[in-house]
Amino acid sequence: MTNLYSSTHPKSLAIADLGCSSGPNTRLASPEYQVFLNDLPGNDFNTIFRSLPGFQERMKKQLEGGTGPLFFTGVPGSFYGRLFPTNSLHFVYSSYSLQWLSKVPNGLEGNKGNIYMAGGSPPSVLKAYYDQFQRDFSSFLTCRSEELVTGCRMALAILGRRSQDPSSKECCYIWELLAMAVKEMCMRAVAEPLLIGHFGFGEAIIDDVFRRYKAIIADRMGKGKTEFVNVVVAMTKKG
């Protein structure tokens, strides 16, 4: 960030955090001037804004010389489209947001029982996810190339994998576990009234059944070694 500022000398350094969420990772912006916090309109921007005064005080203490004026702006909208004026940003940052697609891909009819790519997904489903990511990522790069000032930079952190298998546990295991949780909820919604109606099972017995089921899932996770691959990409806009 220091090198970027020294090489461009902008009067106001504009920084965009795309997919800022509403947790503590939001406040990783550099202590410069304009900071744009972007996420979908449903994001809890109020939580972010309430945390900013404390963040600014901590920054002043960490930097003995203090900071220049900090102006924060919430920017609701999808980062798969244009968000900022042409040539208006000096630094763009996105952390673990680009794995979220703009929409559910078409052609997932054969992916029954899964909420994402899984070991049992047919090739057509894997291709559908691949094609959707290609379209989304291309759109993201096109929009950011128009918004970034020439010579300025973008850093992206995303989940990746070493395996050639797009459904490998390196990147899909967390979604398989989530699918298990969803299935459990569906099973309970269907099975509970049937069991109580036909066999007179009470709530305590039903709860015990699903506690045992959760224990099986925990045991499966404990036996397998799960590693996640992080990919960091840094880019500079050329003239």
Side-chain angles (χ1 to χ4, degrees):
M1 186 63 69
T2 301
N3 292 338
L4 171 62
Y5 187 82
S6 300
S7 62
T8 57
H9 299 290
K11 292 182 179 179
S12 178
L13 191 66
I15 304 165
D17 182 353
L18 305 184
C20 66
S21 184
S22 57
N25 62 303
T26 296
R27 302 184 297 277
L28 294 176
S30 177
E32 298 294 345
Y33 296 104
Q34 291 179 284
V35 181
F36 300 100
L37 303 175
N38 157 258
D39 212 315
L40 294 174
N43 185 53
D44 185 6
F45 285 98
N46 287 332
T47 297
I48 299 175
F49 296 146
R50 282 194 295 267
S51 71
L52 292 179
F55 167 71
Q56 291 175 302
E57 287 299 318
R58 289 193 298 274
M59 291 303 300
K60 290 179 181 179
K61 292 179 181 179
Q62 291 177 13
L63 301 175
E64 296 179 359
T67 67
L70 280 167
F71 302 103
F72 291 91
T73 303
V75 182
S78 171
F79 50 53
Y80 291 121
R82 285 290 300 272
L83 293 167
F84 306 98
T86 302
N87 297 327
S88 63
L89 299 177
H90 300 97
F91 184 73
V92 173
Y93 171 75
S94 181
S95 178
Y96 304 106
S97 298
L98 286 167
Q99 67 264 26
W100 301 106
L101 302 178
S102 64
K103 67 173 186 175
V104 177
N106 297 322
L108 302 185
E109 295 79 11
N111 203 33
K112 293 182 179 180
N114 300 310
I115 61 171
Y116 190 55
M117 294 181 292
S121 299
S124 60
V125 169
L126 304 183
K127 186 176 187 303
Y129 275 104
Y130 175 80
D131 290 344
Q132 186 63 50
F133 178 79
Q134 286 280 83
R135 287 191 292 270
D136 285 346
F137 195 50
S138 295
S139 177
F140 177 89
L141 294 178
T142 298
C143 293
R144 303 296 85 77
S145 69
E146 295 175 0
E147 296 165 350
L148 271 169
V149 174
T150 299
C152 292
R153 302 169 191 178
M154 176 166 64
L156 310 174
I158 57 177
L159 288 174
R161 56 182 166 84
R162 297 185 184 92
S163 171
Q164 293 293 323
D165 180 9
S167 64
S168 69
K169 287 189 175 182
E170 286 180 314
C171 59
C172 293
Y173 193 49
I174 55 175
W175 307 118
E176 290 183 19
L177 296 178
L178 179 59
M180 289 182 186
V182 172
K183 288 178 183 178
E184 176 188 336
M185 294 170 62
C186 294
M187 287 171 59
R188 179 162 189 157
V190 173
E192 185 170 316
L194 292 175
L195 290 173
I196 293 175
H198 288 278
F199 301 102
F201 286 177
E203 286 289 332
I205 296 178
I206 297 295
D207 288 340
D208 184 59
V209 170
F210 285 99
R211 275 196 295 269
R212 291 173 183 271
Y213 182 65
K214 290 178 181 178
I216 293 173
I217 295 177
D219 179 67
R220 177 174 172 178
M221 291 180 62
K223 291 179 179 178
K225 183 179 180 181
T226 304
E227 294 183 351
F228 298 104
V229 178
N230 300 310
V231 178
V232 178
V233 181
M235 307 178 190
T236 301
K237 180 179 177 180
K238 301 297 184 181

mmCIF file of all heavy atoms in Angstrom, residues 155-189:
data_model
loop_
_atom_site.group_PDB
_atom_site.id
_atom_site.type_symbol
_atom_site.label_atom_id
_atom_site.label_comp_id
_atom_site.label_asym_id
_atom_site.label_seq_id
_atom_site.Cartn_x
_atom_site.Cartn_y
_atom_site.Cartn_z
ATOM 1 N N ALA A 155 -6.004 -6.995 -5.082
ATOM 2 C CA ALA A 155 -5.586 -8.232 -4.419
ATOM 3 C C ALA A 155 -6.821 -9.061 -4.106
ATOM 4 O O ALA A 155 -7.787 -8.559 -3.528
ATOM 5 C CB ALA A 155 -4.814 -7.922 -3.141
ATOM 6 N N LEU A 156 -6.787 -10.343 -4.494
ATOM 7 C CA LEU A 156 -7.919 -11.238 -4.302
ATOM 8 C C LEU A 156 -7.468 -12.469 -3.525
ATOM 9 O O LEU A 156 -6.449 -13.080 -3.857
ATOM 10 C CB LEU A 156 -8.495 -11.688 -5.651
ATOM 11 C CG LEU A 156 -8.798 -10.597 -6.684
ATOM 12 C CD1 LEU A 156 -9.229 -11.234 -7.998
ATOM 13 C CD2 LEU A 156 -9.863 -9.647 -6.164
ATOM 14 N N ALA A 157 -8.214 -12.843 -2.503
ATOM 15 C CA ALA A 157 -7.967 -14.081 -1.763
ATOM 16 C C ALA A 157 -9.180 -14.984 -1.960
ATOM 17 O O ALA A 157 -10.314 -14.583 -1.682
ATOM 18 C CB ALA A 157 -7.752 -13.800 -0.283
ATOM 19 N N ILE A 158 -8.940 -16.198 -2.467
ATOM 20 C CA ILE A 158 -10.038 -17.119 -2.750
ATOM 21 C C ILE A 158 -9.641 -18.534 -2.330
ATOM 22 O O ILE A 158 -8.457 -18.847 -2.183
ATOM 23 C CB ILE A 158 -10.419 -17.119 -4.248
ATOM 24 C CG1 ILE A 158 -9.202 -17.465 -5.109
ATOM 25 C CG2 ILE A 158 -10.985 -15.780 -4.667
ATOM 26 C CD1 ILE A 158 -9.500 -17.552 -6.598
ATOM 27 N N LEU A 159 -10.642 -19.387 -2.144
ATOM 28 C CA LEU A 159 -10.382 -20.794 -1.871
ATOM 29 C C LEU A 159 -9.973 -21.491 -3.156
ATOM 30 O O LEU A 159 -10.521 -21.214 -4.224
ATOM 31 C CB LEU A 159 -11.636 -21.463 -1.295
ATOM 32 C CG LEU A 159 -12.017 -21.098 0.140
ATOM 33 C CD1 LEU A 159 -13.354 -21.740 0.494
ATOM 34 C CD2 LEU A 159 -10.948 -21.547 1.116
ATOM 35 N N GLY A 160 -9.010 -22.402 -3.062
ATOM 36 C CA GLY A 160 -8.559 -23.134 -4.241
ATOM 37 C C GLY A 160 -8.403 -24.612 -3.931
ATOM 38 O O GLY A 160 -8.888 -25.113 -2.922
ATOM 39 N N ARG A 161 -7.692 -25.322 -4.795
ATOM 40 C CA ARG A 161 -7.437 -26.753 -4.596
ATOM 41 C C ARG A 161 -6.197 -27.159 -5.377
ATOM 42 O O ARG A 161 -5.855 -26.542 -6.389
ATOM 43 C CB ARG A 161 -8.637 -27.582 -5.048
ATOM 44 C CG ARG A 161 -9.064 -27.337 -6.482
ATOM 45 C CD ARG A 161 -10.301 -28.150 -6.845
ATOM 46 N NE ARG A 161 -10.905 -27.692 -8.076
ATOM 47 C CZ ARG A 161 -10.518 -28.054 -9.296
ATOM 48 N NH1 ARG A 161 -9.502 -28.899 -9.426
ATOM 49 N NH2 ARG A 161 -11.119 -27.586 -10.369
ATOM 50 N N ARG A 162 -5.530 -28.201 -4.899
ATOM 51 C CA ARG A 162 -4.387 -28.769 -5.615
ATOM 52 C C ARG A 162 -4.831 -29.881 -6.558
ATOM 53 O O ARG A 162 -4.204 -30.140 -7.573
ATOM 54 C CB ARG A 162 -3.368 -29.331 -4.619
ATOM 55 C CG ARG A 162 -2.751 -28.288 -3.692
ATOM 56 C CD ARG A 162 -1.665 -28.924 -2.839
ATOM 57 N NE ARG A 162 -1.112 -27.982 -1.876
ATOM 58 C CZ ARG A 162 -1.558 -27.834 -0.635
ATOM 59 N NH1 ARG A 162 -2.575 -28.575 -0.211
ATOM 60 N NH2 ARG A 162 -1.005 -26.969 0.189
ATOM 61 N N SER A 163 -5.903 -30.548 -6.202
ATOM 62 C CA SER A 163 -6.380 -31.700 -6.955
ATOM 63 C C SER A 163 -6.995 -31.282 -8.288
ATOM 64 O O SER A 163 -7.548 -30.189 -8.426
ATOM 65 C CB SER A 163 -7.418 -32.459 -6.127
ATOM 66 O OG SER A 163 -8.046 -33.466 -6.895
ATOM 67 N N GLN A 164 -6.915 -32.178 -9.274
ATOM 68 C CA GLN A 164 -7.580 -31.957 -10.547
ATOM 69 C C GLN A 164 -9.085 -32.193 -10.442
ATOM 70 O O GLN A 164 -9.847 -31.788 -11.315
ATOM 71 C CB GLN A 164 -6.993 -32.900 -11.614
ATOM 72 C CG GLN A 164 -5.550 -32.614 -11.981
ATOM 73 C CD GLN A 164 -5.395 -31.289 -12.698
ATOM 74 O OE1 GLN A 164 -6.238 -30.901 -13.503
ATOM 75 N NE2 GLN A 164 -4.317 -30.580 -12.402
ATOM 76 N N ASP A 165 -9.497 -32.851 -9.369
ATOM 77 C CA ASP A 165 -10.910 -33.176 -9.171
ATOM 78 C C ASP A 165 -11.641 -31.969 -8.589
ATOM 79 O O ASP A 165 -11.376 -31.570 -7.454
ATOM 80 C CB ASP A 165 -11.033 -34.373 -8.228
ATOM 81 C CG ASP A 165 -12.483 -34.765 -7.972
ATOM 82 O OD1 ASP A 165 -13.377 -34.215 -8.650
ATOM 83 O OD2 ASP A 165 -12.713 -35.620 -7.091
ATOM 84 N N PRO A 166 -12.575 -31.365 -9.335
ATOM 85 C CA PRO A 166 -13.271 -30.176 -8.827
ATOM 86 C C PRO A 166 -14.175 -30.456 -7.638
ATOM 87 O O PRO A 166 -14.620 -29.522 -6.966
ATOM 88 C CB PRO A 166 -14.084 -29.705 -10.043
ATOM 89 C CG PRO A 166 -14.249 -30.918 -10.885
ATOM 90 C CD PRO A 166 -13.009 -31.730 -10.692
ATOM 91 N N SER A 167 -14.459 -31.736 -7.364
ATOM 92 C CA SER A 167 -15.299 -32.074 -6.214
ATOM 93 C C SER A 167 -14.470 -32.610 -5.048
ATOM 94 O O SER A 167 -15.015 -33.216 -4.127
ATOM 95 C CB SER A 167 -16.357 -33.111 -6.616
ATOM 96 O OG SER A 167 -15.751 -34.334 -7.009
ATOM 97 N N SER A 168 -13.151 -32.381 -5.072
ATOM 98 C CA SER A 168 -12.281 -32.894 -4.017
ATOM 99 C C SER A 168 -12.600 -32.234 -2.683
ATOM 100 O O SER A 168 -13.181 -31.150 -2.616
ATOM 101 C CB SER A 168 -10.812 -32.646 -4.367
ATOM 102 O OG SER A 168 -10.525 -31.263 -4.317
ATOM 103 N N LYS A 169 -12.188 -32.892 -1.596
ATOM 104 C CA LYS A 169 -12.476 -32.371 -0.263
ATOM 105 C C LYS A 169 -11.705 -31.090 0.038
ATOM 106 O O LYS A 169 -12.037 -30.375 0.980
ATOM 107 C CB LYS A 169 -12.155 -33.435 0.788
ATOM 108 C CG LYS A 169 -13.157 -34.578 0.814
ATOM 109 C CD LYS A 169 -12.935 -35.486 2.010
ATOM 110 C CE LYS A 169 -14.015 -36.552 2.083
ATOM 111 N NZ LYS A 169 -13.858 -37.421 3.268
ATOM 112 N N GLU A 170 -10.676 -30.801 -0.745
ATOM 113 C CA GLU A 170 -9.916 -29.570 -0.523
ATOM 114 C C GLU A 170 -10.809 -28.339 -0.599
ATOM 115 O O GLU A 170 -10.599 -27.356 0.110
ATOM 116 C CB GLU A 170 -8.800 -29.443 -1.562
ATOM 117 C CG GLU A 170 -7.633 -30.365 -1.326
ATOM 118 C CD GLU A 170 -6.577 -30.190 -2.395
ATOM 119 O OE1 GLU A 170 -6.933 -30.137 -3.591
ATOM 120 O OE2 GLU A 170 -5.395 -30.110 -2.046
ATOM 121 N N CYS A 171 -11.794 -28.392 -1.482
ATOM 122 C CA CYS A 171 -12.633 -27.210 -1.659
ATOM 123 C C CYS A 171 -14.118 -27.471 -1.443
ATOM 124 O O CYS A 171 -14.892 -26.527 -1.306
ATOM 125 C CB CYS A 171 -12.426 -26.615 -3.055
ATOM 126 S SG CYS A 171 -12.802 -27.766 -4.396
ATOM 127 N N CYS A 172 -14.526 -28.732 -1.412
ATOM 128 C CA CYS A 172 -15.961 -29.026 -1.363
ATOM 129 C C CYS A 172 -16.425 -29.697 -0.076
ATOM 130 O O CYS A 172 -17.627 -29.859 0.130
ATOM 131 C CB CYS A 172 -16.353 -29.917 -2.550
ATOM 132 S SG CYS A 172 -16.197 -29.094 -4.149
ATOM 133 N N TYR A 173 -15.491 -30.096 0.790
ATOM 134 C CA TYR A 173 -15.890 -30.841 1.985
ATOM 135 C C TYR A 173 -16.799 -30.016 2.893
ATOM 136 O O TYR A 173 -17.746 -30.532 3.487
ATOM 137 C CB TYR A 173 -14.649 -31.294 2.750
ATOM 138 C CG TYR A 173 -14.931 -32.332 3.814
ATOM 139 C CD1 TYR A 173 -15.697 -33.451 3.523
ATOM 140 C CD2 TYR A 173 -14.427 -32.182 5.101
ATOM 141 C CE1 TYR A 173 -15.957 -34.408 4.488
ATOM 142 C CE2 TYR A 173 -14.681 -33.142 6.074
ATOM 143 C CZ TYR A 173 -15.443 -34.248 5.763
ATOM 144 O OH TYR A 173 -15.701 -35.188 6.729
ATOM 145 N N ILE A 174 -16.511 -28.719 3.007
ATOM 146 C CA ILE A 174 -17.343 -27.880 3.871
ATOM 147 C C ILE A 174 -18.779 -27.830 3.366
ATOM 148 O O ILE A 174 -19.726 -27.750 4.149
ATOM 149 C CB ILE A 174 -16.768 -26.451 3.989
ATOM 150 C CG1 ILE A 174 -16.567 -25.829 2.608
ATOM 151 C CG2 ILE A 174 -15.480 -26.442 4.773
ATOM 152 C CD1 ILE A 174 -16.118 -24.382 2.653
ATOM 153 N N TRP A 175 -18.946 -27.904 2.033
ATOM 154 C CA TRP A 175 -20.301 -27.874 1.476
ATOM 155 C C TRP A 175 -20.983 -29.225 1.658
ATOM 156 O O TRP A 175 -22.208 -29.287 1.819
ATOM 157 C CB TRP A 175 -20.246 -27.491 0.001
ATOM 158 C CG TRP A 175 -19.484 -26.231 -0.233
ATOM 159 C CD1 TRP A 175 -18.342 -26.079 -0.974
ATOM 160 C CD2 TRP A 175 -19.777 -24.930 0.291
ATOM 161 N NE1 TRP A 175 -17.912 -24.784 -0.935
ATOM 162 C CE2 TRP A 175 -18.767 -24.057 -0.173
ATOM 163 C CE3 TRP A 175 -20.786 -24.428 1.107
ATOM 164 C CZ2 TRP A 175 -18.754 -22.703 0.157
ATOM 165 C CZ3 TRP A 175 -20.768 -23.082 1.438
ATOM 166 C CH2 TRP A 175 -19.761 -22.233 0.959
ATOM 167 N N GLU A 176 -20.208 -30.319 1.626
ATOM 168 C CA GLU A 176 -20.793 -31.634 1.876
ATOM 169 C C GLU A 176 -21.329 -31.714 3.302
ATOM 170 O O GLU A 176 -22.406 -32.273 3.551
ATOM 171 C CB GLU A 176 -19.750 -32.725 1.636
ATOM 172 C CG GLU A 176 -19.374 -32.910 0.170
ATOM 173 C CD GLU A 176 -18.388 -34.048 -0.029
ATOM 174 O OE1 GLU A 176 -18.282 -34.896 0.877
ATOM 175 O OE2 GLU A 176 -17.727 -34.086 -1.078
ATOM 176 N N LEU A 177 -20.580 -31.158 4.254
ATOM 177 C CA LEU A 177 -21.039 -31.163 5.643
ATOM 178 C C LEU A 177 -22.276 -30.288 5.815
ATOM 179 O O LEU A 177 -23.190 -30.625 6.570
ATOM 180 C CB LEU A 177 -19.918 -30.678 6.565
ATOM 181 C CG LEU A 177 -18.669 -31.563 6.604
ATOM 182 C CD1 LEU A 177 -17.614 -30.941 7.505
ATOM 183 C CD2 LEU A 177 -19.015 -32.963 7.081
ATOM 184 N N LEU A 178 -22.300 -29.157 5.096
ATOM 185 C CA LEU A 178 -23.482 -28.312 5.150
ATOM 186 C C LEU A 178 -24.687 -29.043 4.567
ATOM 187 O O LEU A 178 -25.804 -28.942 5.083
ATOM 188 C CB LEU A 178 -23.230 -27.013 4.382
ATOM 189 C CG LEU A 178 -24.390 -26.023 4.329
ATOM 190 C CD1 LEU A 178 -24.816 -25.613 5.728
ATOM 191 C CD2 LEU A 178 -24.010 -24.798 3.502
ATOM 192 N N ALA A 179 -24.452 -29.803 3.489
ATOM 193 C CA ALA A 179 -25.537 -30.586 2.889
ATOM 194 C C ALA A 179 -26.075 -31.609 3.885
ATOM 195 O O ALA A 179 -27.281 -31.862 3.947
ATOM 196 C CB ALA A 179 -25.043 -31.282 1.624
ATOM 197 N N MET A 180 -25.172 -32.202 4.676
ATOM 198 C CA MET A 180 -25.620 -33.144 5.706
ATOM 199 C C MET A 180 -26.547 -32.459 6.700
ATOM 200 O O MET A 180 -27.571 -33.015 7.112
ATOM 201 C CB MET A 180 -24.411 -33.723 6.449
ATOM 202 C CG MET A 180 -23.568 -34.673 5.652
ATOM 203 S SD MET A 180 -22.212 -35.314 6.672
ATOM 204 C CE MET A 180 -21.305 -36.248 5.456
ATOM 205 N N ALA A 181 -26.156 -31.242 7.108
ATOM 206 C CA ALA A 181 -26.979 -30.505 8.072
ATOM 207 C C ALA A 181 -28.350 -30.185 7.483
ATOM 208 O O ALA A 181 -29.375 -30.283 8.166
ATOM 209 C CB ALA A 181 -26.265 -29.226 8.491
ATOM 210 N N VAL A 182 -28.368 -29.803 6.199
ATOM 211 C CA VAL A 182 -29.641 -29.502 5.540
ATOM 212 C C VAL A 182 -30.506 -30.755 5.460
ATOM 213 O O VAL A 182 -31.717 -30.717 5.704
ATOM 214 C CB VAL A 182 -29.388 -28.928 4.131
ATOM 215 C CG1 VAL A 182 -30.691 -28.799 3.360
ATOM 216 C CG2 VAL A 182 -28.698 -27.573 4.229
ATOM 217 N N LYS A 183 -29.879 -31.889 5.108
ATOM 218 C CA LYS A 183 -30.626 -33.147 5.031
ATOM 219 C C LYS A 183 -31.202 -33.507 6.395
ATOM 220 O O LYS A 183 -32.327 -33.997 6.504
ATOM 221 C CB LYS A 183 -29.715 -34.264 4.534
ATOM 222 C CG LYS A 183 -29.354 -34.168 3.064
ATOM 223 C CD LYS A 183 -28.414 -35.299 2.671
ATOM 224 C CE LYS A 183 -27.980 -35.171 1.227
ATOM 225 N NZ LYS A 183 -27.028 -36.241 0.840
ATOM 226 N N GLU A 184 -30.402 -33.266 7.445
ATOM 227 C CA GLU A 184 -30.879 -33.561 8.795
ATOM 228 C C GLU A 184 -32.129 -32.747 9.111
ATOM 229 O O GLU A 184 -33.109 -33.260 9.665
ATOM 230 C CB GLU A 184 -29.791 -33.252 9.818
ATOM 231 C CG GLU A 184 -30.243 -33.449 11.258
ATOM 232 C CD GLU A 184 -29.219 -32.961 12.262
ATOM 233 O OE1 GLU A 184 -28.033 -32.893 11.901
ATOM 234 O OE2 GLU A 184 -29.618 -32.636 13.392
ATOM 235 N N MET A 185 -32.100 -31.460 8.734
ATOM 236 C CA MET A 185 -33.260 -30.608 8.978
ATOM 237 C C MET A 185 -34.478 -31.115 8.216
ATOM 238 O O MET A 185 -35.594 -31.150 8.743
ATOM 239 C CB MET A 185 -32.938 -29.175 8.573
ATOM 240 C CG MET A 185 -31.873 -28.507 9.428
ATOM 241 S SD MET A 185 -31.334 -26.930 8.745
ATOM 242 C CE MET A 185 -32.860 -26.007 8.783
ATOM 243 N N CYS A 186 -34.262 -31.532 6.966
ATOM 244 C CA CYS A 186 -35.372 -32.030 6.151
ATOM 245 C C CYS A 186 -35.912 -33.345 6.713
ATOM 246 O O CYS A 186 -37.127 -33.567 6.771
ATOM 247 C CB CYS A 186 -34.920 -32.231 4.707
ATOM 248 S SG CYS A 186 -34.488 -30.703 3.848
ATOM 249 N N MET A 187 -34.983 -34.225 7.118
ATOM 250 C CA MET A 187 -35.398 -35.506 7.690
ATOM 251 C C MET A 187 -36.236 -35.288 8.937
ATOM 252 O O MET A 187 -37.256 -35.939 9.149
ATOM 253 C CB MET A 187 -34.161 -36.347 8.028
ATOM 254 C CG MET A 187 -33.437 -36.917 6.824
ATOM 255 S SD MET A 187 -31.858 -37.666 7.293
ATOM 256 C CE MET A 187 -32.416 -38.900 8.464
ATOM 257 N N ARG A 188 -35.805 -34.340 9.767
ATOM 258 C CA ARG A 188 -36.541 -34.092 11.005
ATOM 259 C C ARG A 188 -37.927 -33.533 10.706
ATOM 260 O O ARG A 188 -38.918 -33.919 11.332
ATOM 261 C CB ARG A 188 -35.765 -33.129 11.889
ATOM 262 C CG ARG A 188 -36.497 -32.827 13.184
ATOM 263 C CD ARG A 188 -35.596 -32.246 14.231
ATOM 264 N NE ARG A 188 -36.294 -32.175 15.515
ATOM 265 C CZ ARG A 188 -35.692 -32.133 16.679
ATOM 266 N NH1 ARG A 188 -34.385 -32.199 16.735
ATOM 267 N NH2 ARG A 188 -36.386 -32.049 17.796
ATOM 268 N N ALA A 189 -38.003 -32.619 9.743
ATOM 269 C CA ALA A 189 -39.290 -32.005 9.414
ATOM 270 C C ALA A 189 -40.295 -33.047 8.925
ATOM 271 O O ALA A 189 -41.495 -32.954 9.196
ATOM 272 C CB ALA A 189 -39.093 -30.932 8.351
#
